[in-house]
Amino acid sequence: MCEFPRPTDTVTPRQPRGQERVITANGPTSWAFADAFVAEDEALRWARDRAREAGLRSVSPGTGAALRLLAASVDAKAVAEIGTGCGVSGLHLLRGMRPDGVLTTVDPEPEHQQFARQAFRACGFASNRARFIPGHALDVLPRLADAGYDLVFCDGDRLEYPAYFAESLRLLRPGGLVVFEGVFAGGRTVDSGPQPTEVLRLRELLRAVRESTEDSEMVASLLPVGDGLLCVANR
C-alpha cells in the first residue's frame, strides 16, 4: 500500500447495450474511457505532477495499465526501462512485476530519477527493487546482460527508437517483450504530408519490426493505447 492518502474509488456505470456501438465508433471517447477504467492513486498523480512541472511526457493512465498487465503476463522478474521520467511508468511496471522483480531504469537526467525514487519509496517498494542508471540509453544498453530481461520498455528519445529495437532484441530472453511508447506521434505517423525527423524514425522502427516478424518467431502488435504502444514478443 502507498503511504499517500487514497482517493475515493469511483465506479463507472455499465453502459446500456444500445450504446456499445457508439463508444466503439468514437475514438476519443473510447480512449478517455480506457484511461478512466483503472483509477490512479496519489503516488501516480504526484509523479505526474512532477513530470508536468519538469516539462516531461508521462504515459497515459491507459498505457500505464497496459504496461502493468504486460509485465504481469510475462511474470516479469527483470525489466529494463529506457526513460525513467519521474516514475509514472516505473510504478506501473513494478506493480505488474513479481514481488522479487527488479526494474532497471535508464535516464540522462539524474534529478528526474530522484523524483521516481521518492515515488517508489512512498509506495513501499524496497530500494533494491529498482536500479537507477543515469546516462544516455545508447551508452548504457550495450553494458546490460544478453538475454537478461523479461520486458524492455522504451520511452526515451524517439530519434533513437530504431537503435533501441536492435539493442532490446539482444536483451530479451525467449518469451520476453519489447514495448515502444508514443508510436502514433499524435497522429503524425500516418499523415501523408512532410514530417519531422522524429516521425521518420518512428516509421523506420515500424518497418524494422514488420520485417523482423516476417521470417522469425517474433510476433508484433500495435495497440491503440495512449499515443500508440508497439509490442514485440520474442517467442
Side-chain angles (χ1 to χ4, degrees):
M1 298 292 293
C2 298
E3 295 175 2
F4 293 94
R6 294 193 63 182
T8 301
D9 291 334
T10 59
V11 178
T12 303
R14 182 182 296 274
Q15 292 289 336
R17 187 176 298 276
Q19 295 184 20
E20 292 175 354
R21 182 174 298 178
V22 175
I23 292 175
T24 302
N26 192 322
T29 301
S30 299
W31 290 327
F33 185 84
D35 278 344
F37 181 72
V38 179
E40 293 194 328
D41 60 19
E42 187 65 22
L44 281 162
R45 290 197 295 271
W46 182 88
R48 284 190 184 282
D49 287 344
R50 301 294 79 71
R52 191 178 302 110
E53 291 167 1
L56 301 176
R57 293 174 297 203
S58 295
V59 297
S60 72
T63 299
L67 290 174
R68 190 186 311 190
L69 177 65
L70 291 171
S73 69
V74 296
D75 195 26
K77 184 176 181 179
V79 172
E81 177 186 44
I82 302 171
T84 309
C86 293
V88 175
S89 54
L91 281 173
H92 282 290
L93 289 166
L94 283 166
R95 287 170 171 173
M97 295 169 64
R98 291 169 46 168
D100 59 344
V102 176
L103 173 68
T104 297
T105 182
V106 181
D107 199 283
E109 302 294 340
E111 61 269 27
H112 298 159
Q113 291 186 320
Q114 288 301 320
F115 288 126
R117 196 187 305 272
Q118 291 178 50
F120 296 172
R121 185 168 57 246
C123 272
F125 291 110
S127 59
N128 62 359
R129 290 292 310 279
R131 178 171 62 144
F132 293 90
I133 303 179
H136 288 89
L138 293 181
D139 295 330
V140 174
L141 293 178
R143 306 202 303 264
L144 301 183
D146 293 2
Y149 295 86
D150 304 296
L151 190 153
V152 179
F153 175 55
C154 303
D155 188 19
D157 187 344
R158 306 292 193 264
L159 296 173
E160 298 177 346
Y161 268 21
Y164 293 169
F165 180 53
E167 285 291 337
S168 297
L169 294 181
R170 178 185 62 79
L171 298 178
L172 284 184
R173 65 163 178 80
L177 287 170
V178 57
V179 180
F180 290 86
E181 200 279 329
V183 178
F184 290 163
R188 291 176 299 166
T189 303
V190 297
D191 282 350
S192 58
Q195 297 295 337
T197 304
E198 174 183 292
V199 175
L200 301 182
R201 291 292 179 270
L202 290 171
R203 292 174 178 172
E204 182 181 337
L205 169 68
L206 290 167
R207 285 194 298 269
V209 168
R210 188 178 296 115
E211 292 170 0
S212 297
T213 56
E214 287 177 351
D215 301 311
S216 72
E217 290 297 309
M218 289 189 293
V219 177
S221 180
L222 180 52
L223 305 181
V225 179
D227 198 24
L229 204 61
L230 178 62
C231 306
V232 184
N234 181 30
R235 292 195 295 179

